[in-house]
């Protein structure tokens, strides 16, 4: 079936998702030219053409939409087409259609449409992660026809690359700037302190390193924060400068290269903050709470120094040595079924890596609190509870000189800062463990240990 809008209905109406559905003068006059079809026709066999969803869901002066007229007229072929093209569905609509038609067929069409929509969103995400401009064009082609709908997709869709998102939103062209403004408006900062809003903001994308791009991000953030919290600051410049002060405090407080006695104190932070024009209207307690929040809980900023993609978890852990059982604090990243550890978060080269192949993880009791260990699983189909010090050699490796050197760990013992942190690390590591079926078969047949296979 095809759908031909009446000349009285604009073919390309501009409708914002923030405004009520657009009214049409005579939507009941929409003319249909149905093709002969069987009511039992499979959804994938239904021929439909792309019609903008904004037209499909337009209302006439009586508040009715094309789907309601098709149901009233008993036009099953047009009902199918309208559903496939994006007509809004409710339980009442399903009940009404089911009076004269097979409910299972309607439900199947809805399921098919939703499946196609999910597939389109997956393709759009993949295209954006390869080339953002191409991804935006694909979104436009599948119905994301205005800036706000594109921004909402980028904000809420899982799998969108933070790095590609930061690169795209930081570009100086008109399209990127418009989408950046609409993207920032997806955040709800009302009632949040500036540091909490900043923490939320910086968690969603990779922050580019160029000063001009950072300036655009922070300028847009400050304006939207002030709009969400009217009266807190006299002008957006105050919020802008204080936000940068918070980022500087965050770097100072959590850089292990800065000795404790040299880190910024509360008094120093207050002195610096009080130099910001317009800051005098804020109560002292507001700034004190910001200081305590940042010092006790680091804001993790995705910056250009992050070379590992799809980081699932990161943070400080204390690691026990292999041969010499000393404890050293290291920065750990969990990415791509591998646990990497660094001397500092800013390092681009790890000190070592632990592939999570055929291993298991469990909490253990040590003199040091909140310890857990990684150890080799002898049978991938079982969780073997091995006694202490009974392990095969793991596949861990260290970076020395120009390459990797096989480590000598029978297990890895790590310590977290709290019980909650330990449990979170154990859960994340379990989700990233993978099993090598070939290695399992070889071990079953020959009794080879992991050292022999690695």
């Amino acid at each position: 079936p095809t759908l031909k809008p009446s000349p009285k209905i604009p073919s390309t109406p501009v409708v914002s998702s923030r405004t009520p559905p657009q009214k049409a003068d005579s939507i009941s006059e929409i003319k249909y030219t149905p093709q002969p079809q069987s009511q039992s026709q499979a959804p994938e066999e239904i021929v439909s053409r792309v019609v903008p969803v904004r037209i499909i869901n337009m209302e006439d002066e009586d508040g009715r939409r094309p789907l309601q007229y098709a149901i009233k007229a008993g036009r099953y072929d047009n009902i199918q087409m309208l559903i496939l093209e994006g007509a809004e569905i409710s339980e009442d609509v399903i009940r009404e259609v089911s009076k004269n038609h097979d409910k299972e067929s309607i439900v199947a069409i809805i399921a098919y449409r939703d499946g196609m929509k999910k597939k389109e969103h997956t393709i759009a995400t993949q295209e954006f992660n390869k080339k953002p401009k191409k991804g935006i064009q694909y979104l436009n082609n599948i119905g994301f026809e205005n800036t706000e709908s594109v921004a909402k997709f980028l904000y809420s869709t899982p799998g969108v690359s933070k790095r590609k998102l930061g690169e795209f939103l930081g570009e100086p062209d008109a399209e990127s700037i418009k989408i950046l403004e609409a993207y920032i408006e997806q955040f709800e900062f009302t009632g949040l302190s500036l540091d909490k809003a900043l923490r939320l903001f910086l968690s969603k994308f990779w922050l580019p390193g160029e000063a001009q791009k950072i300036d655009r991000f922070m300028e847009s953030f400050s304006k939207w924060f002030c709009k969400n919290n009217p009266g807190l600051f006299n002008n957006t410049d105050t919020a802008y400068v204080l936000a940068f002060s918070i980022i500087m405090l965050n770097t100072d407080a959590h850089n292990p290269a800065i000795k404790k006695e040299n880190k910024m104190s509360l008094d120093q932070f207050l002195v610096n903050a009080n130099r910001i024009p317009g800051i005098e209207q804020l109560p002292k307690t507001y700034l004190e709470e910001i200081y305590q929040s940042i010092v006790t809980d680091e804001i993790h900023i995705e910056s250009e120094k992050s070379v590992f993609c799809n980081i699932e978890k990161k943070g400080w852990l204390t690691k026990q040595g292999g041969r010499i059982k000393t404890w050293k604090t290291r920065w750990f990243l969990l990415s791509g079924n591998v646990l990497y550890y660094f001397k500092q978060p800013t390092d681009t080269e790890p000190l070592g890596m632990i592939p999570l192949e055929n291993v298991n993880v469990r909490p253990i009791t040590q003199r040091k609190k909140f310890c857990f260990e990684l150890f080799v699983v002898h049978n991938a189909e079982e969780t073997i509870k091995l006694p202490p010090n009974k392990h095969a050699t793991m596949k861990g490796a260290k970076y020395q000189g120009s390459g990797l050197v096989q480590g000598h760990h029978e297990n890895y013992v790590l310590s977290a800062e709290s019980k909650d942190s330990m449990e979170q690390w154990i859960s994340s590591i379990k989700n990233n463990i993978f099993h090598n079926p070939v290695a399992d078969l070889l071990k079953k047949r020959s009794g080879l240990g992991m050292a022999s296979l690695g």
Side-chain angles (χ1 to χ4, degrees):
T2 57
L3 178 63
K4 297 181 179 179
S6 164
K8 295 183 181 180
I9 301 176
S11 57
T12 55
V14 178
V15 183
S16 169
S17 59
R18 289 191 173 185
T19 60
Q22 183 166 335
K23 303 289 184 181
D25 294 333
S26 55
I27 206 162
S28 59
E29 296 179 12
I30 288 180
K31 305 298 182 184
Y32 300 102
T33 344
Q35 300 173 356
Q37 292 184 354
S38 166
Q39 289 194 11
S40 61
Q41 190 171 14
E44 59 268 23
E45 296 174 349
I46 297 173
V47 179
S48 64
R49 70 180 181 84
V50 176
V51 179
V53 173
R54 60 191 179 192
I55 293 179
I56 291 292
N57 290 310
M58 286 173 64
E59 294 180 352
D60 66 5
E61 57 187 7
D62 296 323
R64 293 189 176 185
R65 301 182 179 186
L67 182 59
Q68 291 169 288
Y69 284 103
I71 292 172
K72 185 177 180 180
R75 301 293 292 275
Y76 183 80
D77 48 359
N78 291 322
I79 292 170
Q80 294 182 67
M81 187 278 295
L82 288 165
I83 292 174
L84 283 174
E85 293 291 3
E88 294 179 0
I89 303 296
S90 66
E91 289 296 326
D92 290 340
V93 169
I94 294 176
R95 278 195 296 270
E96 188 66 27
V97 175
S98 300
K99 290 179 181 179
N100 300 310
H101 305 285
D102 179 23
K103 180 178 179 179
E104 291 184 1
S105 297
I106 296 297
V107 172
I109 294 170
I110 296 170
Y112 175 77
R113 180 191 72 177
D114 292 345
M116 290 300 294
K117 182 179 179 182
K118 184 177 180 181
K119 183 179 179 180
E120 288 177 341
H121 287 192
T122 300
I123 295 173
T125 302
Q126 293 171 343
E127 292 292 337
F128 183 86
N129 290 347
K130 292 176 185 175
K131 294 185 177 180
K133 293 286 186 182
K134 190 174 179 181
I136 298 300
Q137 183 60 54
Y138 183 86
L139 284 170
N140 294 155
N141 292 340
I142 64 172
F144 292 82
E145 298 170 334
N146 57 56
T147 300
E148 185 181 0
S149 63
V150 170
K152 188 173 292 186
F153 177 90
L154 296 175
Y155 178 86
S156 60
T157 303
V160 171
S161 167
K162 289 184 179 182
R163 187 180 187 89
K164 291 294 185 181
L165 180 60
E167 289 175 352
F168 173 74
L169 295 178
E171 291 298 324
D173 61 279
E175 180 186 38
S176 296
I177 291 174
K178 285 177 64 179
I179 294 177
L180 170 61
E181 292 172 354
Y183 179 84
I184 288 177
E185 291 182 7
Q186 305 305 309
F187 290 89
E188 179 53 70
F189 294 148
T190 304
L192 294 182
S193 60
L194 186 64
D195 63 299
K196 287 184 172 61
L198 187 61
R199 188 185 300 275
L200 173 62
F201 179 61
L202 295 176
S203 70
K204 295 288 288 184
F205 59 89
W206 170 84
L207 188 65
E210 296 91 333
Q212 290 181 341
K213 293 183 178 181
I214 294 174
D215 180 71
R216 276 194 292 274
F217 275 108
M218 298 305 292
E219 183 74 28
S220 297
F221 163 78
S222 303
K223 288 179 180 178
W224 185 242
F225 178 84
C226 290
K227 191 170 184 178
N228 278 198
N229 297 276
L232 184 61
F233 296 101
N234 284 334
N235 57 68
T236 59
D237 288 342
T238 305
Y240 174 89
V241 178
L242 182 56
F244 270 110
S245 299
I246 291 171
I247 292 176
M248 292 173 62
L249 171 64
N250 184 72
T251 302
D252 179 274
H254 299 285
N255 186 345
I258 301 176
K259 294 181 180 180
K260 186 176 181 180
E261 59 269 21
N262 295 331
K263 291 185 180 294
M264 188 182 299
S265 66
L266 173 59
D267 288 340
Q268 290 171 326
F269 175 72
L270 292 176
V271 168
N272 292 336
N274 285 327
R275 293 171 181 166
I276 301 172
I279 203 73
E280 60 275 0
Q281 71 181 89
L282 287 178
K284 182 181 178 181
T285 53
Y286 187 89
L287 297 173
E288 289 174 341
E289 288 172 0
I290 286 178
Y291 178 88
Q292 294 301 331
S293 172
I294 298 302
V295 169
T296 57
D297 187 11
E298 180 183 3
I299 296 178
H300 296 293
I301 301 173
E302 299 287 346
S303 69
E304 63 182 351
K305 294 181 180 179
S306 299
V307 297
F308 295 87
C309 299
N310 301 318
I311 297 172
E312 181 167 332
K313 188 165 179 59
K314 58 187 176 181
W316 292 102
L317 293 171
T318 306
K319 173 183 163 295
Q320 189 179 57
R323 290 177 176 173
I324 303 174
K325 303 300 181 181
T326 55
W327 293 90
K328 292 183 179 179
T329 300
R330 298 291 184 239
W331 178 259
F332 279 76
L333 292 183
L334 180 56
S335 174
N337 306 111
V338 178
L339 195 58
Y340 300 89
Y341 55 96
F342 303 75
K343 190 172 183 179
Q344 296 181 15
T346 52
D347 292 346
T348 57
E349 292 291 335
L351 295 174
M353 57 184 290
I354 309 169
L356 300 179
E357 176 184 335
N358 284 24
V359 303
N360 208 338
V361 58
R362 65 184 176 188
I364 58 172
T365 302
Q366 291 262 356
R367 286 184 179 180
K368 204 169 186 65
K369 289 184 177 181
F370 315 122
C371 287
F372 59 99
E373 70 167 348
L374 297 169
F375 58 92
V376 173
V377 177
H378 291 277
N379 184 339
E381 296 177 357
E382 300 175 3
T383 301
I384 305 296
K385 293 185 178 180
L386 298 174
N389 303 320
K390 299 295 182 181
H391 307 282
T393 303
M394 295 185 66
K395 284 190 174 181
K398 293 183 178 180
Y399 284 85
Q400 292 183 357
S402 59
L404 284 169
V405 177
Q406 179 73 41
H408 300 282
H409 283 263
E410 292 182 341
N411 66 338
Y412 283 83
V413 178
L414 307 171
S415 173
E417 61 183 2
S418 67
K419 184 179 179 182
D420 286 344
S421 177
M422 178 190 73
E423 291 174 348
Q424 290 172 13
W425 274 105
I426 289 175
S427 176
S428 296
I429 290 170
K430 283 183 176 179
N431 291 335
N432 278 269
I433 290 171
F434 68 105
H435 300 296
N436 185 335
V438 176
D440 291 337
L441 288 172
L442 283 171
K443 285 187 286 181
K444 282 183 179 180
R445 285 296 185 94
S446 61
L448 293 175
M450 289 300 292
S452 302
L453 298 172

